[in-house]
Amino acid sequence: MSPSNTSLPPRSHGGTPKGKVPPKKKKKKSGFKTFLKFVLILIILAVLAVAGYAGYLYYKADHGVLDTGVDAPVAPSQSAKVKPITMLLLGTDYRPETKTHLSDVIMIAAFNPDTKSATVVSVPRDTKIELKGYRENKANAYYPNFLADEKQSGIKATDEMKTMFSKYLDIDIDYVTVLNFQAFRDAVDALGGVDVTVDKNMCYRDKADGTDINLKKGEQELNGKQALDFVRYRKSNCRPRTDASDDFDRNRRQNEVLHSLIDKMQTFKGVTSLGGVLDAMNNNMETDIEKDQLKNIIATYWKIKKEDVKFMPITGNWKSPYVYVDDDELDKAKQALKDELAGKAAVEAGTSADESSNP
């Protein structure tokens, strides 16, 4: 279990002076914000090969039809067209039934414009994080803690997460995107479901938050709720009990669902379902990427091949309540991201992506 005291000690990386909490800017809703959410979903899913309609979406962005609301200028030297960029991707367990914000999916992606390749490192949600200036805790507990601390610290939770994971992985993280589970469910439904092979019977019920997982082993099409159940399943409280899963099983199933979504989005039905996917993303994602930088990203990466995206899940040893990541595994992940930023990872991307999708 996570410590009951969720407060964090003062951090040494700075922040707003005491008593000077910057006013929160009112976010304006727009079509482009919704579009941004869709594009970043594609990045999260490594669906940057959707050339058919990505070109059309880029046209709309480039002609000012849509607007993110993040209008800060991007210097030419910082453009994603010429500079490798990094992004922290958080999938939170927020649903209307729970209203919690544990980040159960944690990915760090590095993109290189010269090699047109990307490396995505995934961190198990239960990883024990030990960093100077932070209380030891599970990786997924920090984001809700930072959210609760925003008013006192004057620092946005998303900025805190970028700072912490920059230290943890020894790289500078440029952007952060937060996606919740409701968006995942709605996006899957908008695409008409996903085809997966359920690897085992899965049964878990919790009346407190409305969870009702009941899946049978075998090949099948899952709707949004079922797909979320499939990737979230950990243990059983049913009779008869079904076999439990660990974080590594969950990561493998996440990859399977994401690959199925990739296939769905590249079909005619996927293209014609675009409006529904956009609606599914509305109000379910937050990002700090600038409008102009988004256009740079689309222009640079919308033709990237799936085999040029290297998935690298970090593994470790489970000892309740934590996953203890092996130091060598963590070092390999750090080096993989650094190699991507330096343009050294493209040659191995195809092989590594295939290997990392295996359990």
Side-chain angles (χ1 to χ4, degrees):
M1 298 289 292
S2 299
S4 58
N5 181 3
T6 59
S7 62
L8 294 170
R11 289 165 290 282
S12 58
H13 55 274
T16 302
K18 185 175 181 181
K20 296 184 179 181
V21 179
K24 292 185 178 180
K25 294 182 179 180
K26 185 176 181 180
K27 296 180 180 179
K28 62 178 181 179
K29 295 183 179 180
S30 63
F32 196 71
K33 182 178 179 182
T34 305
F35 163 69
L36 168 64
K37 295 169 184 176
F38 173 69
V39 171
L40 290 174
I41 276 287
L42 298 185
I43 294 174
I44 294 172
L45 306 182
V47 189
L48 296 173
V50 285
Y53 53 86
Y56 166 69
L57 295 177
Y58 176 71
Y59 174 86
K60 293 182 73 175
D62 193 44
H63 286 71
V65 178
L66 308 164
D67 185 9
T68 60
V70 185
D71 292 325
V74 178
S77 62
Q78 300 301 306
S79 168
K81 293 181 179 180
V82 298
K83 176 184 178 293
I85 62 171
T86 52
M87 187 180 300
L88 173 64
L89 309 165
L90 303 175
T92 74
D93 70 347
Y94 179 85
R95 289 162 288 154
E97 305 95 321
T98 64
K99 302 188 185 301
T100 56
H101 294 274
L102 294 170
S103 50
D104 283 355
V105 176
I106 303 170
M107 296 180 177
I108 300 86
F111 301 90
N112 191 297
D114 295 326
T115 58
K116 298 294 190 296
S117 61
T119 294
V120 182
V121 169
S122 58
V123 179
R125 50 162 274 169
D126 290 332
T127 297
K128 185 176 184 180
I129 302 288
E130 299 177 276
L131 279 175
K132 184 177 180 181
Y134 299 87
R135 175 172 294 178
E136 294 178 8
N137 212 333
K138 290 183 180 181
N140 73 334
Y142 286 98
Y143 182 61
N145 288 351
F146 290 150
L147 279 173
D149 199 40
E150 276 187 344
K151 289 183 179 180
Q152 181 179 356
S153 69
I155 306 172
K156 291 186 64 176
T158 48
D159 289 338
E160 289 274 32
M161 291 296 285
K162 280 197 298 186
T163 299
M164 190 185 80
F165 274 97
S166 292
K167 292 181 178 180
Y168 184 65
L169 293 169
D170 194 26
I171 61 169
D172 291 330
I173 296 177
D174 301 308
Y175 299 105
V176 60
T177 296
V178 183
L179 166 74
N180 68 47
F181 283 173
Q182 184 64 38
F184 176 83
R185 292 196 302 198
D186 292 348
V188 171
D189 284 337
L191 288 166
V194 291
D195 299 315
V196 301
T197 300
V198 178
D199 51 302
K200 64 179 75 175
N201 291 338
M202 302 176 183
C203 182
Y204 180 82
R205 298 184 177 93
D206 187 346
K207 293 182 179 180
D209 65 3
T211 297
D212 185 7
I213 299 174
N214 187 15
L215 299 174
K216 302 300 181 183
K217 181 178 180 180
E219 296 182 5
Q220 54 200 282
E221 184 179 78
L222 304 182
N223 62 28
K225 176 195 175 300
Q226 293 168 329
L228 181 58
D229 290 343
F230 179 58
V231 300
R232 289 182 61 228
Y233 175 75
R234 295 173 62 84
K235 60 184 179 180
S236 176
N237 61 357
C238 303
R239 293 185 180 180
R241 288 184 180 271
T242 51
D243 292 340
S245 296
D246 58 25
D247 276 359
F248 313 117
D249 292 327
R250 286 156 56 98
N251 283 345
R252 174 177 51 79
R253 292 198 296 266
Q254 287 169 13
N255 282 344
E256 183 177 357
V257 170
L258 299 185
H259 281 261
S260 181
L261 284 173
I262 290 173
D263 292 336
K264 272 293 183 77
M265 279 192 251
Q266 294 183 22
T267 65
F268 176 77
K269 179 175 176 56
V271 175
T272 57
S273 300
L274 176 59
V277 175
L278 292 175
D279 291 340
M281 297 302 102
N282 194 32
N283 297 322
N284 287 300
M285 180 180 275
E286 177 186 357
T287 187
D288 60 358
I289 191 170
E290 305 93 345
K291 178 179 65 175
D292 287 342
Q293 187 71 303
L294 172 66
K295 291 192 289 186
N296 295 334
I297 292 172
I298 299 170
T300 305
Y301 295 105
W302 66 283
K303 286 187 178 181
I304 194 173
K305 298 177 181 178
K306 288 189 291 185
E307 54 266 28
D308 290 328
V309 180
K310 176 182 178 181
F311 288 95
M312 189 172 183
I314 299 176
T315 59
N317 298 311
W318 166 257
K319 186 177 180 181
S320 184
Y322 297 110
V323 167
Y324 291 85
V325 171
D326 183 80
D327 288 341
D328 289 340
E329 284 278 319
L330 184 58
D331 288 342
K332 288 179 182 178
K334 293 178 180 178
Q335 193 59 50
L337 292 169
K338 292 177 181 178
D339 286 348
E340 184 65 66
L341 296 175
K344 299 178 182 179
V347 175
E348 301 178 359
T351 301
S352 299
D354 292 337
E355 292 176 351
S356 65
S357 64
N358 295 324

